[in-house]
Amino acid sequence: LPTDRQRELLVVLMEECAEVAQRASKAVRFGMDEVQPGQPDSNLIRIAREMGDLTGTLHALLDTVQPDLAEAFHAAARQ
């Protein structure tokens, strides 16, 4: 079973995945360059930010399991 910290990070990971999916959906519907009213950035920039949040959360989760996994993830992402 996951630790309390892992459980928290898993919930945040699910939330970040949902935010990436939502932003990607907006980009499909309205275009990558669209800027929603009241927002300073395009869908593309917002996807990149959400992906950064997702990646950071994944790294934090991997570090709680086995620190070597975070480096393995980084190496795979560079390929």
Side-chain angles (χ1 to χ4, degrees), residues 26-28 30-35 42-45 47:
K26 296 288 186 183
V28 167
F30 303 109
M32 298 289 267
D33 296 326
E34 187 247 2
V35 177
S42 69
N43 287 326
L44 178 60
I45 297 299
I47 289 170

